Amino acid sequence: MPTDVERWKDEVYGNEIRDHLMEFAEEGWDSIPEDEEDAWFERFKWWGLYHQRAGQESYFMMRIGTPNGVIEPGQLRVVGEIAKEYATGPVENPEFGEAYCDWTTRQSIQLHWIKLEDVPEIFEKLEDNGLSTQQACGDSWRNIVGCPVAGKDKQELVDAWPIARDLHDTFKGDEDHTNLPRKWKVSVTGCTEGCGQGDINDLALEPARKEIDGETVTGFNVRVGGGLSRKEPRLARDIDVFVRPDNADEVAGGLSALFREHGDRENRYNARIKFLVDEWGVEKIRRVLQEDFVDFDLHTAGEDLRDEYTYNTGSQDGHNDHVGVHEQADGNYYVGLNVLVGRMGAEDTLELADLAAEYGSGEVRLTQRQNIIVTDVPEENLDALLDEPLLEDYSPDPSPFMRGSIACTGTEFCSLSIVETKNRQVRYARWLKDNVELPADHEEFHIHLSGCTASCAQPQIADVSLRGMKTRKDGDPVEAFDIGLGGGLGEDPRFADWIEMRVAADEVPGAIANLIADFETEREAGETFREFVEARDEDELGELLDPEETDYEDPYMHNTKKTWYPYADDDNMDDSPAPTDGQGEPLPADD
Amino acid sequence: MLVRGDAYTNEAPEGPPMTTAVRILDDGAWISVDDERVVSVSELWQLADHDVCGCETADFLIEGFVDVDAAGPAVLVRAAGQCVTCGESAVSGWLPVGRIVGPDRRFASLATGHVRTPRA
Ligand code: HEM
Ligand code: SF4
Ligand SMILES: [Zn+2]
């Protein structure tokens, strides 16, 4: 028997959702029949709209998918204008103000507090400028990720940007691939540093070379079935296939069709392709792909470059997180700016759009570390760009604790969340910057904070992983974190080990400070933090991670999920203005 | 419309047919009753006479709903979570979350602090 979600998808899904969405928007929030809300909210995700959590009814999160994080000249201004005009909620956020954009861990853009009634105008403005929310959420091809400086970088085997672009153009809106059993996350990388994060995607194309008919061809090796969600993280597995850039869409489409036909539609918890790879093994995935889903003979895997990977290996080599000033292959420069927890105010976004146009080509790119890169800056413009006051807040040379912080959405908007995330991570980063000194050879130190086990902030691949929890402190329930250590990517990716559980949120900075102090004194010469963790067992690490209260203050210890908005002065559910009409005025309660 | 069982795992519900639509949404984040989102993850529930861990009263953090059913007027769920006293993770037995009451068939939620006992 199909699940309700599958039943709803059978009735209406994919492109056709749009007509209904537009009709509801025209007639207003109230026009969605109450007994169809569950079905419509599930479907709206396909068009990038995710209904916000309890207490925020009638407001939506809107995700805009920007393949490979590329925001073309002119588009950043459009995003900033939309955020300013439409992404303002009833109460402002104390750290980020009234309206803001989130740059996400999958190189997309998220806006909040969007009213259904505004969707037609927003879509028109986005689409007039080559942007779209199509398939940004829901059960289909999600935003394609990759090395954010593809085509610009000096260290690349293949320029993967045209391929990512082509996959995006091919599979967004393709009716054969719009209704998959679950989300389908793809990474395409051509650079030699490993920054596409292919290992944690459903499908990864990674750079490789292969001798074919006596000629060395460059292209990609294929891995399938990575992902971090729930407590079931998996690395993508090598299915022994090499693909030429020309054939990338046939192989990627073949795999997505295989998933469409064989993924589990009876149980959404078991639906991601990582579970099919568990069940079948890679040989069977390859065999079924060859027999039923592609028309030519697949090549066996080529020689990969994984032993050259530097990105998120803990080694501090290579361009790593892309923050800072780096020369491009064409002699221009790109300037990677740190955006703390990926959130940028709408006004700042508009100003950055101006700077990118003034000093570069107008293009910017989003990274999988929630940062933003201004590309194509001629050498003679560098000093002037670096002197701009905006770069004091979005620094190309930030403290390791600022540049290494990633946080997900959390209780501010997300229904799965257990704890407050972004505002807290801002406070953690500031406190750590002011109070903790890392060894001088550690410019990068990754702390990823996720509000629940869905792992949107990718905690398992960080030096310090924080995952939302609760505990009791002096008898009262308080927000807390499980703390993991030693995760990262590279040739031998490694998920963090969970070391200290249910640490009250106000004792986390103290725990990190104690750990780093011990690291500094106990490390071997030149030992990286990741190596230091790998060399120790759980008990030893537990002793180094010694949670304690410090002068760090946490305003979000109480159950922020129980509020209608964690930062409102009157934060009780009953004080919520939602649901509201198109003007943001509270609607009368239902009969 | 008659809808029972669970939008996510499709477990066959037991007991006589009900006219209450109960389902799990958004990857286990919500229990929806008659298309209204009524209970969400992240609550701490106290469990007595339970089998999630060895604690007399478990302090059970609800991390995700895995099953929902309407048994007569009572709405019951099974939830994945963790006892925050001892750290044990488990999927609970069928726990009450509230009841359908009155002629207008309103859902009345149990108070968060209510001590719950799983049904056999
Ligand atoms: C309102 C609810 C949610 C919000 C605001 C949210 C937010 C985000 C954001 C901003 C990202 C980066 C993704 C991108 O740009 O495509 C992300 C990724 C992710 N989301 Fe969510 N999310 C929500 C619900 C969920 C749910 C229901 C799941 C279910 C399992 C989930 C699992 C993930 C995972 C696993 C990742 C990234 C890690 C990976 O690539 O495997 N999220 N989410
Ligand atoms: S990790 Fe959990 S809390 Fe954070 S955005 Fe994802 S689903 Fe929400
Ligand atoms: Zn217990």
Side-chain angles (χ1 to χ4, degrees), chain A residues 466-484:
Chain A
L466 302 175
R467 180 172 73 192
M469 252 292 140
K470 292 260 164 80
T471 191
R472 279 190 199 268
K473 191 160 171 164
D474 310 322
D476 294 324
V478 295
E479 299 197 355
F481 290 94
D482 290 343
I483 305 182

Side-chain angles (χ1 to χ4, degrees), chain A residues 171-182:
Chain A
F171 293 106
K172 292 282 175 173
D174 178 341
E175 300 279 345
D176 286 341
H177 301 268
T178 49
N179 178 356
L180 301 178
R182 204 71 169 71

